[in-house]
mmCIF file of all heavy atoms in Angstrom:
data_model
loop_
_atom_site.group_PDB
_atom_site.id
_atom_site.type_symbol
_atom_site.label_atom_id
_atom_site.label_comp_id
_atom_site.label_asym_id
_atom_site.label_seq_id
_atom_site.Cartn_x
_atom_site.Cartn_y
_atom_site.Cartn_z
ATOM 1 N N ILE N 7 -61.036 54.917 -68.156
ATOM 2 C CA ILE N 7 -61.005 54.561 -66.729
ATOM 3 C C ILE N 7 -61.020 55.865 -65.909
ATOM 4 O O ILE N 7 -60.313 56.825 -66.240
ATOM 5 C CB ILE N 7 -59.730 53.737 -66.391
ATOM 6 C CG1 ILE N 7 -59.706 52.438 -67.203
ATOM 7 C CG2 ILE N 7 -59.660 53.429 -64.924
ATOM 8 C CD1 ILE N 7 -58.379 51.720 -67.095
ATOM 9 N N ILE N 11 -59.112 55.494 -60.302
ATOM 10 C CA ILE N 11 -58.803 54.054 -60.538
ATOM 11 C C ILE N 11 -57.563 53.889 -61.327
ATOM 12 O O ILE N 11 -56.728 53.004 -61.018
ATOM 13 C CB ILE N 11 -59.982 53.375 -61.264
ATOM 14 C CG1 ILE N 11 -61.250 53.393 -60.353
ATOM 15 C CG2 ILE N 11 -59.668 51.919 -61.660
ATOM 16 C CD1 ILE N 11 -62.513 52.889 -61.001
ATOM 17 N N GLU N 16 -51.924 52.269 -61.460
ATOM 18 C CA GLU N 16 -50.541 52.585 -61.779
ATOM 19 C C GLU N 16 -49.632 52.291 -60.574
ATOM 20 O O GLU N 16 -48.585 51.677 -60.683
ATOM 21 C CB GLU N 16 -50.373 54.065 -62.172
ATOM 22 C CG GLU N 16 -50.822 54.378 -63.599
ATOM 23 C CD GLU N 16 -49.959 53.761 -64.611
ATOM 24 O OE1 GLU N 16 -48.743 54.037 -64.664
ATOM 25 O OE2 GLU N 16 -50.487 52.914 -65.372
ATOM 26 N N ARG N 17 -50.110 52.692 -59.393
ATOM 27 C CA ARG N 17 -49.345 52.482 -58.148
ATOM 28 C C ARG N 17 -49.178 50.964 -57.902
ATOM 29 O O ARG N 17 -48.127 50.450 -57.562
ATOM 30 C CB ARG N 17 -50.003 53.154 -56.969
ATOM 31 C CG ARG N 17 -49.570 54.569 -56.760
ATOM 32 C CD ARG N 17 -49.991 55.082 -55.354
ATOM 33 N NE ARG N 17 -51.447 55.157 -55.204
ATOM 34 C CZ ARG N 17 -52.205 56.182 -55.631
ATOM 35 N NH1 ARG N 17 -51.660 57.188 -56.243
ATOM 36 N NH2 ARG N 17 -53.527 56.144 -55.461
ATOM 37 N N TYR N 37 -61.812 38.867 -62.892
ATOM 38 C CA TYR N 37 -63.230 39.284 -62.917
ATOM 39 C C TYR N 37 -64.075 38.289 -63.733
ATOM 40 O O TYR N 37 -65.150 37.881 -63.324
ATOM 41 C CB TYR N 37 -63.313 40.688 -63.531
ATOM 42 C CG TYR N 37 -64.711 41.229 -63.500
ATOM 43 C CD1 TYR N 37 -65.206 41.953 -62.427
ATOM 44 C CD2 TYR N 37 -65.568 41.051 -64.612
ATOM 45 C CE1 TYR N 37 -66.470 42.462 -62.427
ATOM 46 C CE2 TYR N 37 -66.873 41.573 -64.610
ATOM 47 C CZ TYR N 37 -67.290 42.269 -63.467
ATOM 48 O OH TYR N 37 -68.583 42.745 -63.476
ATOM 49 N N ALA N 46 -66.656 28.625 -61.928
ATOM 50 C CA ALA N 46 -66.682 28.548 -60.487
ATOM 51 C C ALA N 46 -67.044 27.137 -60.054
ATOM 52 O O ALA N 46 -66.448 26.559 -59.176
ATOM 53 C CB ALA N 46 -67.597 29.572 -59.865
ATOM 54 N N THR N 47 -68.064 26.590 -60.752
ATOM 55 C CA THR N 47 -68.452 25.173 -60.409
ATOM 56 C C THR N 47 -67.378 24.205 -60.739
ATOM 57 O O THR N 47 -67.083 23.327 -59.922
ATOM 58 C CB THR N 47 -69.776 24.815 -61.186
ATOM 59 O OG1 THR N 47 -70.780 25.769 -60.848
ATOM 60 C CG2 THR N 47 -70.178 23.422 -60.936
ATOM 61 N N CYS N 54 -62.983 19.483 -54.796
ATOM 62 C CA CYS N 54 -63.601 18.344 -54.212
ATOM 63 C C CYS N 54 -62.919 17.029 -54.606
ATOM 64 O O CYS N 54 -62.834 16.091 -53.874
ATOM 65 C CB CYS N 54 -65.108 18.265 -54.532
ATOM 66 S SG CYS N 54 -66.075 19.519 -53.681
#
Side-chain angles (χ1 to χ4, degrees):
I7 299 172
I11 294 174
E16 284 293 300
R17 273 194 294 278
Y37 184 88
T47 300
C54 289

